[in-house]
């Protein structure tokens, strides 16, 4: 078995913050290079290799990949859905150009496997109203979703034309106790926990009956590592796999949190993100992921809520002691 050398771009973001430690635990800290263009979180530097690199700079990217003998790239740097709408051209440029830079650098390097996250944002009004399957119509209305759809097709193009082993998942909204979200439409499902514990009340920016697919980060990380470890010939989807965890509305999430925190007060003030949420499916089906690489989530909403509250309380206590 070859020794993997792994580069993670956007390492300080929502997924990277949890994926990097998981990769270091699996492959050894000397074999995982975290990178980001921003100032890093101290843990990422203290616990392993780090390079400050801008994915928009193809020369720098190729240099890191070839000098370090990289065999896998997890390209996570991206602008999310809601933030992307405030600067559509900027979001398009970053999301697309960085992906093309990574695909090209990996193609030149040869035998380099790539992971790139897609999203439920590839679906849209034309895909609805039923639960979206792998092959439902793709009809994104946000620039983020449009860039994910184009990116999926680029990934398949590189696989079919250059044999580059690119793998991708259409993540639902990701819920993490460690990493703050940034600029997404599903962010309410993370913010509500922090506000519930801190203030006991929360103002939700989506309507109470807006159902969306969600996934707890420990499941997302495990599933991602499982997909990347699957033999190449077993994968049948070369755009991006649907990957389901749970689905709920804000009202259902509030009810689940209130079983632990009965005093929680929530009001609803839908803003511009409501339109984005309304364009997304309330649930997705993931038969292909289950069949091809054995995907199965471990967390439903109740388990996720219990774990989130416990993790956040422990973090608070640790900070108070420090
Ligand atoms: N969580 C993302 C967002 O809300 C969806 O992929 O933008």
């Amino acid at each position: 078995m070859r020794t993997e050398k792994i580069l993670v771009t956007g390492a300080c973001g929502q997924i990277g913050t949890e994926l990097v430690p998981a990769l270091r635990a699996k492959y050894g800290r000397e074999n995982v290079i975290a990178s980001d263009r921003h100032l890093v979180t101290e843990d990422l530097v203290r616990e392993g290799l780090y390079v400050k690199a801008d994915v928009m700079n193809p020369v720098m990217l190729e240099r890191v990949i070839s000098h370090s003998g990289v065999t896998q790239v997890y390209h996570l740097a991206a602008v999310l859905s809601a933030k992307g709408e405030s600067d559509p051209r900027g979001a398009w440029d970053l999301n697309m150009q960085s992906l093309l830079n990574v695909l090209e650098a990996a193609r030149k390097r040869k035998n380099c496997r790539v992971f790139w996250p897609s999203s439920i944002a590839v679906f849209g009004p034309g895909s609805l109203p039923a639960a979206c399957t792998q092959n439902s119509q793709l009809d994104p209305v946000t620039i983020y979703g449009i860039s994910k759809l184009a990116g999926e097709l680029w990934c398949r193009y590189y696989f079919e034309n250059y044999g580059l082993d690119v793998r991708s998942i259409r993540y639902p909204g990701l819920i993490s106790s460690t990493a703050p979200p940034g600029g997404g439409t599903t962010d309410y499902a993370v913010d509500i926990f922090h506000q519930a514990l801190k203030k006991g009340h929360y103002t939700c920016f989506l309507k109470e009956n807006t159902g969306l697919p969600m996934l707890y980060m420990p499941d997302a990380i495990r599933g991602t590592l499982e997909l990347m470890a699957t033999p190449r010939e077993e994968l049948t989807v070369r755009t991006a796999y649907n990957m389901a965890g749970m689905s709920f509305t804000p009202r259902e999430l509030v009810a689940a949190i209130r079983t632990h925190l009965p005093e929680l007060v929530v009001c609803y003030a839908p803003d511009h993100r409501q339109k984005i949420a309304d364009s997304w499916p309330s649930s997705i089906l993931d038969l292909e992921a289950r069949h091809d690489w054995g995907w199965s989530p471990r967390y439903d909403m109740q388990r996720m809520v219990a774990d989130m509250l416990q993790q956040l309380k422990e973090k608070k206590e640790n900070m108070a002691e420090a």
Side-chain angles (χ1 to χ4, degrees):
M1 215 174 73
R2 70 176 181 176
T3 304
E4 301 291 350
K5 200 83 184 178
I6 297 169
L7 174 67
V8 182
T9 75
C12 298
Q14 193 193 10
I15 302 172
T17 305
E18 296 208 40
L19 185 63
V20 169
L23 287 166
R24 285 177 174 161
K26 181 169 178 179
Y27 294 102
R29 44 194 273 183
E30 68 286 3
N31 292 320
V32 179
I33 308 163
S35 84
D36 207 296
R37 68 176 165 161
H38 298 295
L39 276 180
V40 296
T41 54
E42 278 179 25
D43 287 352
L44 284 180
V45 178
R46 203 173 36 236
E47 288 160 12
L49 305 169
Y50 181 84
V51 286
K52 191 165 181 290
D54 185 351
V55 280
M56 296 298 274
N57 181 338
V59 177
M60 191 190 238
L61 193 64
E62 280 175 29
R63 201 175 298 143
V64 173
I65 288 177
S66 63
H67 278 197
S68 312
V70 167
T71 60
Q72 289 188 21
V73 182
Y74 289 74
H75 173 45
L76 307 178
V79 177
L80 291 186
S81 61
K83 190 165 174 217
E85 294 307 286
S86 62
D87 177 15
R89 277 299 304 263
W92 172 262
D93 287 347
L94 178 80
N95 291 357
M96 290 318 302
Q97 196 54 53
S98 68
L99 173 62
L100 292 175
N101 289 347
V102 167
L103 291 176
E104 202 46 26
R107 180 179 75 83
K108 288 185 187 157
R109 163 86 188 131
K110 303 215 172 18
N111 285 326
C112 184
R113 187 172 288 179
V114 176
F115 177 81
W116 173 77
S118 185
S119 161
I120 53 162
V122 293
F123 297 114
S127 332
L128 307 177
C132 285
T133 66
Q134 186 67 44
N135 298 315
S136 290
Q137 186 188 339
L138 304 179
D139 185 29
V141 296
T142 59
I143 206 67
Y144 172 71
I146 295 170
S147 71
K148 289 298 182 189
L149 173 53
E152 286 190 11
L153 297 175
W154 271 112
C155 290
R156 192 177 65 185
Y157 185 89
Y158 266 74
F159 172 73
E160 287 181 351
N161 291 284
Y162 306 121
L164 184 67
D165 192 356
V166 197
R167 303 171 179 206
S168 180
I169 289 170
R170 290 174 185 154
Y171 288 124
L174 294 174
I175 301 170
S176 163
S177 61
T178 305
T185 303
T186 55
D187 292 7
Y188 90 85
V190 181
D191 291 338
I192 190 170
F193 287 95
H194 292 276
Q195 300 309 323
L197 287 171
K198 209 160 45 180
K199 298 185 186 152
H201 62 84
Y202 180 65
T203 302
C204 182
F205 58 76
L206 296 183
K207 289 183 197 158
E208 62 179 342
N209 58 354
T210 311
L212 287 171
M214 301 279 181
L215 184 64
Y216 195 34
M217 194 64 98
D219 269 342
I221 300 297
R222 180 177 54 80
T224 304
L225 297 183
E226 285 170 3
L227 170 64
M228 286 299 273
T230 302
R232 178 183 174 123
E233 56 283 2
E234 288 172 24
L235 301 179
T236 59
V237 175
R238 283 298 176 170
T239 48
Y241 279 94
N242 276 16
M243 185 197 204
M246 60 192 92
S247 293
F248 55 75
T249 63
R251 186 173 46 212
E252 288 162 345
L253 180 61
V254 169
I257 297 175
R258 279 194 186 131
T259 62
H260 301 265
L261 303 171
E263 309 294 315
L264 173 64
V265 175
V266 176
C267 54
Y268 296 88
D271 66 13
H272 58 283
R273 288 167 280 195
Q274 183 66 44
K275 188 171 149 224
I276 300 176
D278 285 342
S279 78
W280 291 351
S282 55
S283 63
I284 54 171
L285 298 172
D286 57 4
L287 288 179
E288 289 76 2
R290 287 168 185 269
H291 176 267
D292 291 1
W293 44 281
W295 164 242
S296 176
R298 293 186 186 151
Y299 287 88
D300 59 13
M301 183 180 65
Q302 274 75 21
R303 273 196 78 190
M304 177 276 288
V305 166
D307 198 63
M308 270 295 277
L309 290 170
Q310 192 188 328
Q311 299 291 334
L312 292 177
K313 277 182 198 157
E314 277 171 21
K315 283 193 181 97
K316 211 168 146 194
E317 280 160 19
N318 291 343
M319 273 171 70
E321 277 167 23

